[in-house]
Amino acid sequence: MIPGPKNQITDVPGLKVGNAQDDALKSGATVLTADQPFTASVHVMGGAPGTRETDLLAPDKSAGGVDALVLSGGSAYGLDACSGVVDGLRAQGRGFKLGPAIIPLVPGAILFDLLNGGDKSWRNNPYRDLGRAAYDAADEDFEIGTVGAGTGALTSMLKGGLGSASLVLDDGTTVGALVAANPLGAVTTPGDRHFWAAPFEIDGEFGGLGPDPSAGLVAPQESRKKQQMLRQAANLPLRDERGNTTIAIVATDAPLTKAQCQRLATAAHDGIGRATVPAHTPWDGDLVFGLSTSEQTTPSSEPDLALIGHAAAVCLSRAIARAVFHAEPAPGDLLPCWKNS
């Protein structure tokens, strides 16, 4: 297994990703799309998800393909980014056609970045426009770090971000991951230098420091993120520790059914658990979309799916670390970036 040419999810043929962000808002949206509808499903392991149109991705639902997937900041407000993408698709005549009606299918998921130091005093929800701008920017080449849905993301200890990674299997199958990392947990071990995902790093893609030589790293660290969010809330009570989430997309060009895409998404959650400590908490909305761009009708065998799922988990772990590694400092940040820690 080696990374694809870009080491991004767009190494999977046919996929495009677009980002849009507002630096003053400290938030943004990310869109994944393709020239043709693709098969997709979803699996949720966090206790506090925020989603739109994910029910149609269940294997027993009739929708055969979707036109785009959206990752967005903004909590519930960010779900409106999907509406902007729907606008863009409709303008191009794309979507499910029922007589003269055109219905673009655009599931999405959001993360909480409303207490991250950005200016949230809008009068009109900005996320529809951000979604449309991200869709219009979709391309095979895109930036990671402090962009798109990762613009205002925060991990427990350091600034989060948008990350991506890919692998090409021995048989030529390509697998990729795209993630907006905003977890309750930490992506680095105590001391902020070594990534939990270090055993899966390839070619120094997130610093090349290797695994932490320390042992017994069991107890979660006292969260800088929670402390800063309390200050942003003017010390008003915050219910539990809500305000987190890792939302991701894993993709392959292997021919998968919708049920197999769901299994792909389920397996990929291991990548969150290997890169983030703790993961899948009651206060995270951890969610993974799984998709196949293949137009073949013959599904992959179970052994193939096992290997593809493993590759997706590895890609997702690496993508989470890359999101934090590539994060850039900006005015008003509440937490340091890895590169400045």
Side-chain angles (χ1 to χ4, degrees):
M1 295 185 184
I2 59 172
K6 303 181 188 69
N7 196 17
Q8 294 186 334
I9 197 169
T10 49
D11 285 322
V12 176
L15 293 182
K16 298 178 182 178
V17 172
N19 291 314
Q21 58 276 335
D22 182 322
D23 292 334
L25 183 67
K26 282 190 179 292
S27 189
T30 296
V31 177
L32 180 144
T33 188
D35 292 333
Q36 302 294 329
F38 48 85
T39 303
S41 192
V42 67
H43 190 259
V44 181
M45 288 191 71
T51 61
R52 170 169 158 161
E53 290 198 316
T54 50
D55 282 354
L56 62 82
L57 300 179
D60 64 330
K61 299 302 183 289
S62 61
V66 300
D67 301 292
L69 296 170
V70 174
L71 308 178
S72 180
S75 189
Y77 300 100
L79 293 174
D80 209 29
C82 297
S83 298
V85 178
V86 168
D87 291 343
L89 286 160
R90 186 177 187 275
Q92 296 178 341
R94 293 188 55 191
F96 175 72
K97 294 179 175 61
L98 189 61
I102 300 174
I103 310 165
L105 301 180
V106 184
I110 50 86
L111 56 80
F112 182 94
D113 57 4
L114 299 181
L115 295 174
N116 66 355
D119 180 6
K120 315 299 183 183
S121 60
W122 67 75
R123 291 194 175 188
N124 297 310
N125 188 335
Y127 286 95
R128 187 172 192 138
D129 289 342
L130 286 168
R132 177 61 186 270
Y135 176 75
D136 290 343
D139 198 352
E140 292 181 1
D141 297 308
F142 64 98
E143 294 183 1
I144 60 174
T146 307
V147 294
T151 299
L154 303 172
T155 75
S156 175
M157 308 304 288
L158 298 170
K159 196 169 178 177
L162 187 79
S164 194
S166 70
L167 283 172
V168 180
L169 310 188
D170 290 347
D171 66 358
T173 297
T174 302
V175 179
L178 177 70
V179 63
N182 184 63
L184 172 73
V187 175
T188 51
T189 63
D192 300 337
R193 300 307 297 158
H194 294 272
F195 287 95
W196 289 108
F200 307 102
E201 184 177 15
I202 300 174
D203 296 333
E205 62 191 333
F206 42 88
L209 298 182
D212 193 327
S214 303
L217 305 176
V218 178
Q221 303 173 70
E222 183 64 30
S223 173
R224 296 186 191 124
K225 177 179 181 177
K226 182 179 179 181
Q227 295 168 0
Q228 291 293 342
M229 287 175 64
L230 284 169
R231 292 191 181 96
Q232 290 290 300
N235 290 315
L236 294 173
L238 288 180
R239 188 177 177 184
D240 302 316
E241 293 178 287
R242 288 173 170 82
N244 314 282
T245 283
T246 297
I247 46 178
I249 303 168
V250 293
T252 182
D253 56 357
L256 302 183
T257 64
K258 191 191 287 191
Q260 288 179 320
C261 284
Q262 186 178 65
R263 178 49 50 188
L264 175 67
T266 303
H269 272 283
D270 284 354
I272 298 177
R274 294 167 185 165
T276 308
V277 178
H280 306 137
T281 75
W283 306 291
D284 281 289
D286 294 347
L287 172 152
V288 179
F289 294 105
L291 72 90
S292 168
T293 60
S294 175
E295 297 180 6
Q296 295 183 39
T297 57
T298 304
S300 296
S301 64
E302 292 301 328
D304 290 338
L305 185 58
L307 182 60
I308 293 166
H310 165 66
V314 171
C315 285
L316 186 47
S317 288
R318 294 163 52 225
I320 290 170
R322 295 189 77 208
V324 174
F325 177 74
H326 284 279
E328 294 287 343
D333 281 352
L334 302 185
L335 296 181
C337 292
W338 182 88
K339 60 180 58 180
N340 299 125
S341 64

